[in-house]
């Protein structure tokens, strides 16, 4: 028992009569702008997350070059005295 096409058309006619076509056009434009802005924010958030993960990976690799294991300093370069 869903909504039939006739019921949807009656609801649409009532909404158009209440708000008018100009107001509905403005609401649609505002809604479209809000969705576009939301998508942009999501993409920016994903990009920031990827940048943070890449930076963390670089820092981890830099720390791995000179770690202390059982009292010894290990590095790729020879110890200079």
């Amino acid at each position: 028992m869903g909504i039939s096409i006739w019921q949807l058309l009656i609801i649409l006619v009532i909404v158009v009569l209440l708000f008018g076509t100009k107001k509905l056009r403005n609401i649609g434009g505002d809604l479209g702008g809000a969705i576009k802005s939301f998508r942009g924010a999501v993409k920016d958030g994903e990009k920031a997350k990827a940048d943070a993960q890449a930076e963390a990976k670089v820092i981890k690799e830099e720390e791995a070059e000179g770690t202390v294991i059982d009292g010894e300093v290990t590095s790729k370069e020879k110890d200079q005295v």
Side-chain angles (χ1 to χ4, degrees):
M1 297 207 84
I3 297 176
S4 71
I5 189 73
W6 294 110
Q7 292 169 335
L8 287 175
L9 287 175
I10 291 171
I11 292 171
L12 180 64
V13 168
I14 292 170
V15 169
V16 169
L17 289 174
L18 287 175
F19 294 108
T21 56
K22 186 175 182 181
K23 182 75 170 179
L24 289 176
R25 189 179 311 132
N26 290 341
I27 291 171
D30 292 343
L31 183 62
I35 291 172
K36 186 176 181 179
S37 175
F38 178 75
R39 286 182 180 170
V42 169
K43 286 181 182 178
D44 289 344
E46 289 174 353
K47 183 180 178 193
K49 183 178 177 182
D51 291 345
Q53 288 176 344
E55 185 176 334
K57 183 178 178 183
V58 169
I59 291 172
K60 185 176 179 182
E61 289 174 356
E62 288 175 355
E63 289 175 352
E65 290 179 1
T67 58
V68 177
I69 301 174
D70 293 331
E72 290 183 12
V73 177
T74 60
S75 67
K76 293 182 179 180
E77 299 176 7
K78 290 185 177 182
D79 293 333
Q80 296 182 7
V81 179

